[in-house]
């Protein structure tokens, strides 16, 4: 067994990561680094492999080949110490509909081994503005409220790295703005954030690095300050339309 | 408390709070078991056959079929809203998830069985009170084996579109040794035989309980992974 070096709690290192489902290459040789406090937005058409990439990096699924280290831990081993360092927000809120926000967060607090789950739950509910609704059943919440509660669940154990899989899907403008504010706050607190999204303007506005994933591969990976945003939008829409890169950009 | 134990307790607590609010599992299992017993009571002529001969089979059919309903629902609740993903992301050993769900399923099914027993006693005119302790031991062994294997297979079936069909198809054939054991033992108990007469069956059922739990511990990691 390979011994893990001293973990750096805020770094993602991905090398030649591949995930195949039969003949389908969902993730095809992806490599990149993300330093502490950086925010990476990954764009790409549906089926480009963005969600699979997040599932691999969070230890939910094993890669076919390649290596990935998250917070200094090999993700393939899926060790609990790594899961303590990450928070995940996805399409699904991962919340029990018949429990209240407090009950949900106390439950997850106990699962993460928090010393004072009740106090931690109340604190994050206040952070996301849901403290007044803490005793209502989650089933009665709107999509926007669910997403805010999902953020509360993801940051309950104060993770250093956050993975967000299309977090703006189904949100109205108000809820999107609230989510953006929360993400900005977390970014300011030097949390490392990896987000997949289809919302180009929002994704570019918040990130430090930008990637475009097409057919499993990173076709583009740059610092956001080095790109022409209008040109990038054109590239992105071209990739979505054709599900491939046709505008002469060298794959990353 | 040890983190492993506190995670198991948290899962059981969460399932109990959910059940207390919805009463979905208990009511579905109880009504189904009651209906099974009612159907049999009208289809069996108790003036021709002895209740103590047909009763054990009917009782365990009611327990196992209604228990399957509960098992199906148990992991479906975890799949709703991606809750299982939330559990998998927590720094919990997969076996803690398994044992948490196993204990919840076991308690829910046992409570339902304790409500069904008096009704069975009335409908079949059998006096269970004088055999209560041995009967409770048999019910414990049978329910534990059923829940141990059922929790594992319901976690496997929850990933399938045809989970309601797949769970019984996977579960019942593997459960045959336990079913034979508990039905035989229940029959012997109702016939007034002492526990010492059925040590072989107790040994067989307890062995399969241990085997099912052991296999579950070894395989739950792979089964819960997508």
């Amino acid at each position: 067994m390979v011994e893990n070096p001293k973990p750096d709690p805020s770094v993602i290192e991905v090398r030649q990561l591949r995930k195949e489902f039969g003949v389908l290459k969902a993730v095809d040789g992806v490599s990149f680094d993300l330093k502490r406090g950086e925010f990476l937005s990954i764009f790409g058409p549906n089926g480009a492999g963005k969600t699979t990439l997040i599932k691999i990096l969070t230890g939910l699924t094993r890669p076919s080949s390649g290596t990935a280290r998250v917070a200094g831990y090999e993700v393939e081993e899926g060790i609990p110490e790594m899961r303590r360092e990450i928070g995940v927000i996805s399409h699904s809120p991962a919340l029990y509909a018949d429990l209240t926000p407090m009950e949900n967060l106390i439950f997850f607090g106990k699962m993460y081994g928090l010393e004072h789950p009740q106090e931690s739950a109340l604190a994050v509910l206040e952070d996301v503005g849901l403290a007044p609704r803490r005793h209502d059943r989650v089933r009665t919440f709107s999509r926007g409220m669910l997403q805010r509660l999902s953020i509360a669940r993801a940051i309950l154990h104060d993770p250093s790295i956050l993975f967000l899989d299309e977090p703006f899907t189904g949100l109205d403008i108000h809820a999107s703005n609230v989510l953006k504010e929360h993400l900005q706050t977390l970014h300011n607190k030097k949390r490392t954030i990896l987000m997949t999204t289809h919302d180009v303007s929002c994704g570019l506005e918040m990130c430090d690095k930008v990637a475009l994933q097409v057919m499993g591969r990173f076709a583009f990976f740059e610092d956001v300050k080095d790109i022409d945003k209008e040109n990038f939008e054109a590239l992105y829409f071209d990739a979505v339309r054709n599900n491939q890169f046709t505008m002469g950009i060298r794959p990353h | 408390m040890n983190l492993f134990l506190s995670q198991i307790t948290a899962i059981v607590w969460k399932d109990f709070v959910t059940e207390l609010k919805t009463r979905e599992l208990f009511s579905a299992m109880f009504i189904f078991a009651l209906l099974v017993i009612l159907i049999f009571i009208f289809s069996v002529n108790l003036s021709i056959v002895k209740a103590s001969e047909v009763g054990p089979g009917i009782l365990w059919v009611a327990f196992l079929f209604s228990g399957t309903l509960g098992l199906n629902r148990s992991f479906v609740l975890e799949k709703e809203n991606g809750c299982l993903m939330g559990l998998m992301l927590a720094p919990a050993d997969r076996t803690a998830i398994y044992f948490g769900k196993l204990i919840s399923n076991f308690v829910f099914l046992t409570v339902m069985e304790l409500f069904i027993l008096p009704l069975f006693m009335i409908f079949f005119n059998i006096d269970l009170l004088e055999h209560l302790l041995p009967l409770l031991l048999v019910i414990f062994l049978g329910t534990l084996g059923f829940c141990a294997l059922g929790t594992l297979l319901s976690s496997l079936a929850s990933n399938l579109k045809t989970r309601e069909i797949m769970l019984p198809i996977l579960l019942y054939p593997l459960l045959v040794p336990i079913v034979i054991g508990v039905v035989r033992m229940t029959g012997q108990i109702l016939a007034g035989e002492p526990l010492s007469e059925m040590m072989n069956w107790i040994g067989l059922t307890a062995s399969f309980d241990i085997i099912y739990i052991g296999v579950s511990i070894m395989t739950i990691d792979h089964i819960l992974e997508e």
Side-chain angles (χ1 to χ4, degrees):
Chain A
M1 190 170 137
V2 180
E3 196 175 316
N4 278 305
K6 189 182 174 194
D8 178 347
S10 301
V11 173
I12 300 173
E13 295 170 28
V14 178
R15 295 286 176 272
Q16 287 300 313
L17 204 62
R18 285 189 166 77
K19 178 71 181 179
E20 288 150 13
F21 298 102
V23 291
L24 176 74
K25 292 175 178 171
V27 177
D28 187 9
V30 168
S31 300
F32 69 93
D33 287 332
L34 210 55
K35 293 191 178 70
R36 181 178 183 274
E38 284 185 329
F39 191 139
L40 167 66
S41 288
I42 304 175
F43 300 94
N46 291 330
K50 305 184 297 295
T51 299
T52 306
L53 178 62
I54 285 190
K55 281 187 173 177
I56 294 172
L57 295 181
T58 52
L60 288 174
T61 196
R62 288 172 203 264
S64 304
S65 65
T67 60
R69 296 178 80 86
V70 171
Y73 299 101
E74 292 281 351
V75 292
E76 202 170 355
E77 291 169 14
I79 47 179
E81 285 76 7
M82 183 204 88
R83 297 201 289 267
R84 245 182 259 281
E85 295 293 338
I86 64 171
V88 180
I89 299 166
S90 75
H91 316 273
S92 321
L95 295 160
Y96 294 92
D98 289 306
L99 300 183
T100 66
M102 272 303 275
E103 289 165 345
N104 264 291
L105 295 182
I106 289 172
F107 167 66
F108 282 108
K110 287 177 180 171
M111 292 303 290
Y112 278 91
L114 301 186
E115 273 188 41
H116 306 290
Q118 195 136 3
E119 286 84 346
S120 305
L122 194 56
V124 288
L125 280 175
E126 276 165 4
D127 279 354
V128 298
L130 285 174
R133 299 287 305 269
R134 63 185 181 278
H135 296 308
D136 294 349
R137 277 195 202 195
V138 167
R139 194 176 286 288
T140 63
F141 281 20
S142 67
R143 171 87 181 116
M145 290 163 77
L146 275 179
Q147 201 64 328
R148 278 152 67 193
L149 188 53
S150 189
I151 296 172
R153 177 191 48 74
I155 62 172
L156 178 68
H157 57 292
D158 196 23
S160 55
I161 303 171
L162 275 170
F163 293 92
L164 300 103
D165 190 11
E166 297 179 18
F168 295 100
T169 306
L171 298 186
D172 61 24
I173 291 174
H174 172 67
S176 282
N177 288 335
V178 172
L179 178 57
K180 259 194 257 180
E181 280 174 26
H182 287 307
L183 291 180
Q184 203 57 57
T185 309
L186 291 166
H187 191 202
N188 294 341
K189 287 182 182 172
K190 291 285 175 198
R191 299 290 185 275
T192 306
I193 301 175
L194 188 153
M195 175 175 79
T196 69
T197 181
H198 292 292
D199 187 334
V200 179
S201 61
C202 177
L204 288 179
E205 185 189 321
M206 290 190 293
C207 71
D208 307 306
K209 291 194 170 178
V210 58
L212 183 54
Q213 191 172 0
V214 184
M215 298 175 79
R217 304 180 70 187
F218 266 16
F220 187 93
F221 183 85
E222 294 288 345
D223 277 7
V224 76
K225 61 181 186 304
D226 295 336
I227 65 165
D228 177 333
K229 290 186 181 176
E230 281 182 14
N231 190 28
F232 179 80
E233 275 192 35
L235 287 173
Y236 172 61
F237 289 125
D238 182 56
V240 170
R241 205 166 31 245
N242 302 310
N243 200 20
Q244 59 181 322
F245 239 31
T246 58
M247 295 182 72
I249 299 290
R250 190 162 44 88
H252 179 73
Chain B
M1 202 194 317
N2 173 300
L3 181 62
F4 183 78
L5 289 179
S6 76
Q7 286 167 335
I8 292 175
T9 315
I11 293 170
V12 175
W13 171 82
K14 179 264 299 172
D15 282 347
F16 279 20
V17 173
T18 306
E19 182 56 21
L20 281 175
K21 289 183 175 190
T22 62
R23 293 190 176 85
E24 278 177 3
L25 271 180
F26 178 79
S27 51
M29 287 194 298
F30 177 75
I31 291 169
F32 190 84
L34 184 63
L35 287 174
V36 169
I37 288 176
L38 282 175
I39 288 168
F40 275 110
I41 199 80
F42 288 118
S43 59
V44 175
N45 188 345
L46 289 175
S47 60
I48 299 172
V49 289
K50 276 194 192 165
S52 60
E53 283 173 3
V54 292
I58 294 169
L59 186 67
W60 280 100
V61 164
F63 286 170
L64 300 183
F65 281 20
S66 59
T68 310
L69 278 186
L71 288 175
N72 253 328
R73 186 73 193 136
S74 166
F75 259 93
V76 168
L77 280 174
E78 298 297 339
K79 294 294 276 188
E80 274 178 12
N81 288 343
C83 294
L84 188 58
M85 182 200 73
L87 273 182
M88 298 281 285
L89 287 168
D93 197 303
R94 305 307 189 221
T95 49
I97 299 174
Y98 169 77
F99 279 116
K101 297 303 291 180
L102 167 61
I103 293 170
S104 301
N105 290 332
F106 178 79
V107 173
F108 292 145
L109 188 53
T110 305
V111 170
M112 187 279 294
E113 288 166 346
L114 294 178
F115 275 84
I116 284 293
L117 273 182
L119 298 173
F120 174 79
M121 197 167 84
I122 295 165
F123 290 146
F124 282 85
N125 197 22
I126 298 173
D127 186 7
L128 294 176
L129 291 177
E130 56 186 277
H131 317 292
L132 197 58
L133 281 179
L135 189 61
L136 287 179
L137 173 69
V138 171
I139 288 176
F140 170 83
L141 289 173
T143 307
L144 181 63
F146 174 77
C147 289
L149 185 61
T151 302
L152 179 77
L153 295 180
S154 67
S155 67
L156 176 70
S158 68
N159 288 321
L160 308 172
K161 280 182 186 168
T162 52
R163 55 182 162 255
E164 284 86 2
I165 303 166
M166 286 311 291
L167 178 61
I169 289 174
L170 293 170
L171 179 62
Y172 295 148
L174 293 171
L175 210 59
V176 165
I178 290 229
V179 175
I180 293 172
V182 292
V183 171
R184 285 290 182 94
M185 283 191 283
T186 308
Q188 285 176 279
I189 289 168
L190 295 186
E193 291 182 31
L195 265 184
S196 54
E197 292 290 313
M198 52 193 95
M199 289 315 286
N200 287 346
W201 288 115
I202 289 176
L204 176 92
T205 313
S207 304
F208 271 94
D209 286 355
I210 293 166
I211 289 169
Y212 292 153
I213 292 173
V215 169
S216 300
I217 290 170
M218 287 190 283
T219 55
I220 193 73
D221 250 12
H222 300 282
I223 285 179
L224 284 178
E225 192 183 304
E226 281 187 32

